[in-house]
Amino acid sequence: MPVISVPQAFNEEDLYVDLASMSGHRLFLKCEGFNFAGSIKLKAATEMVESAERSGTLKRDSILVESSSGNLGVALSMIAASKGYRFVCVTDSRCNLTTRLMMEALGSQVHVVSDEGAAGGLLDARLAYVRGLCASDDRYLWLSQYTNADNWKAHYFRTAPAIARWFPQLDVLFIGVGTTGTLMGCARWFRSWHRPVRIVAVDSVGSAIFGDPPGRRMIPGLGMSVRPPLLDEAYVDEAVRVEETDTIRTCRSLARRGFLFGGSTGTVVSGATSWLARHGRRGLTPVAIAPDLGERYLDTVYQSNWVQGIYGDDALAPQAPPGRGVSAS
């Protein structure tokens, strides 16, 4: 029986769901949401905070500040509460209401940006606000998940080795992308493994991570309006892009089987099943990483009125066969 004294000490690392009966292909889903922060972002948040403490840049009177669309903000809120730091999360209007309320319940201050910046949309506006805070008071410490190497190191030291322990014959790994911390940490680790592993990045249509023009994205979590500084495409074998309507259909399809996952997970599963429909072969061992659970999406992805108002009735239609609605590069 595990007994902990701080919430970040617990994280279920070894839970997988066999999606073969739901996806039509052999696919193992690594569930990363079973911790007190509810997502994979707990790993990056912990690594960045503890590294800043070790280096002395994070002091007792420091005020942590970070730009986040949701999950990292919750993780940092939890850690800040546990360690006694103040934390300001700068988010935007796409952040789920439940997520904002969770951060506030944990004692964090949440600033919501609604006006887009000149260059990078809402993300540009969020970063401008963070820079303004840091310039106004030297107590503010920006962890900068977009440029902080501790973001990807968390997954190099924890996520990738955990997968390797259970799947020594791993062939392909599907990883959702935002800051690309999970992607780069896992890809770097498996590059030097005993067998080649194909790294497939799963992105949202409308994201500019892999050079596409930025477009509308309403589901927070994956994608960015600019190229992430952490990204090194030399470690990526392929990128697939998923329409948000397919994300919604996948989430709802999984929920009808009793698995309530978040929007980021729906995107990853949709991209993985479509890739396997085109490239899968008998005996292939594929793993996909599920970043989050679904409770924070009850008022968006799982709310029919919200879906209809943004995407139309078609988004509520039964899920299309795997292989449709996804582009690849």
Side-chain angles (χ1 to χ4, degrees):
M1 178 181 70
V3 177
I4 63 173
S5 57
V6 292
Q8 61 270 27
F10 173 77
N11 185 53
E12 174 54 60
E13 190 73 87
D14 298 322
L15 178 64
Y16 293 81
V17 175
D18 184 348
L19 293 179
S21 64
M22 290 172 271
S23 67
H25 302 275
R26 190 184 192 203
L27 177 62
F28 300 99
L29 186 64
K30 186 181 192 311
C31 300
E32 289 281 355
F34 290 96
N35 56 58
F36 284 94
S39 81
I40 196 172
K41 289 292 189 177
L42 176 61
K43 293 177 181 177
T46 301
E47 190 71 24
M48 289 191 296
V49 169
E50 292 183 351
S51 178
E53 287 177 330
R54 290 191 299 268
S55 69
T57 57
L58 178 54
K59 303 176 177 61
R60 294 313 310 170
D61 65 341
S62 295
I63 306 171
L64 292 169
V65 59
E66 186 57 271
S67 160
S68 170
S69 62
N71 284 335
L72 182 71
V74 172
L76 286 172
S77 294
M78 186 192 79
I79 293 171
S82 170
K83 291 177 173 285
Y85 296 116
R86 293 171 59 191
F87 172 55
V88 178
C89 181
V90 182
T91 188
D92 59 56
S93 52
R94 293 172 300 183
C95 180
N96 297 325
L97 175 60
T98 301
T99 300
R100 300 203 301 267
L101 293 176
M102 287 181 68
M103 289 189 280
E104 291 172 349
L106 289 164
S108 298
Q109 177 184 342
V110 181
H111 179 83
V112 181
V113 169
S114 56
D115 295 327
E116 296 188 6
L122 289 169
L123 176 60
D124 183 60
R126 277 161 40 186
L127 298 183
Y129 189 87
V130 170
R131 294 188 186 99
L133 284 180
C134 293
S136 69
D137 190 331
D138 60 10
R139 290 178 300 167
Y140 284 105
L141 176 64
W142 182 17
L143 294 172
S144 187
Q145 62 166 324
Y146 310 102
T147 60
N148 193 329
D150 292 311
N151 184 347
W152 66 260
K153 288 178 181 178
H155 304 287
Y156 183 91
F157 291 116
R158 295 187 60 184
T159 308
I163 294 170
R165 283 197 303 270
W166 287 101
F167 297 94
Q169 300 302 312
L170 179 67
D171 291 302
V172 57
L173 181 60
F174 299 95
I175 308 170
V177 290
T179 65
T180 67
T182 308
L183 173 70
M184 298 314 304
C186 291
R188 283 187 168 96
W189 195 92
F190 280 110
R191 176 61 64 89
S192 59
W193 205 34
H194 71 92
R195 61 183 277 119
V197 174
R198 187 165 188 83
I199 301 297
V200 179
V202 183
D203 198 6
S204 299
V205 170
S207 167
I209 289 176
F210 292 101
D212 301 304
R216 185 185 76 161
R217 291 179 293 112
M218 299 302 296
I219 300 175
L222 299 187
M224 284 184 64
S225 56
V226 297
R227 178 187 172 89
L230 294 178
L231 176 63
D232 184 344
E233 290 190 56
Y235 289 94
V236 182
D237 295 300
E238 187 175 352
V240 298
R241 298 155 178 87
V242 177
E243 296 278 1
E244 288 192 330
T245 50
D246 289 316
T247 292
I248 291 166
R249 294 188 188 106
T250 299
C251 285
R252 286 169 165 255
S253 177
L254 290 168
R256 286 193 290 272
R257 298 294 188 98
F259 292 101
L260 193 73
F261 284 111
S264 297
T265 298
T267 301
V268 173
V269 172
S270 179
T273 54
S274 297
W275 189 95
L276 290 168
R278 298 191 303 273
H279 305 293
R281 65 179 188 275
R282 187 176 181 84
L284 191 75
T285 300
V287 170
I289 298 176
D292 56 0
L293 301 178
E295 291 90 340
R296 295 171 198 174
Y297 297 83
L298 292 176
D299 58 350
T300 54
V301 170
Y302 295 104
Q303 172 55 253
S304 295
N305 290 339
W306 184 88
V307 173
Q308 288 172 313
I310 294 175
Y311 305 98
D313 293 339
D314 184 59
L316 297 176
Q319 187 174 19
R324 292 181 57 187
V326 178
S327 59
S329 66

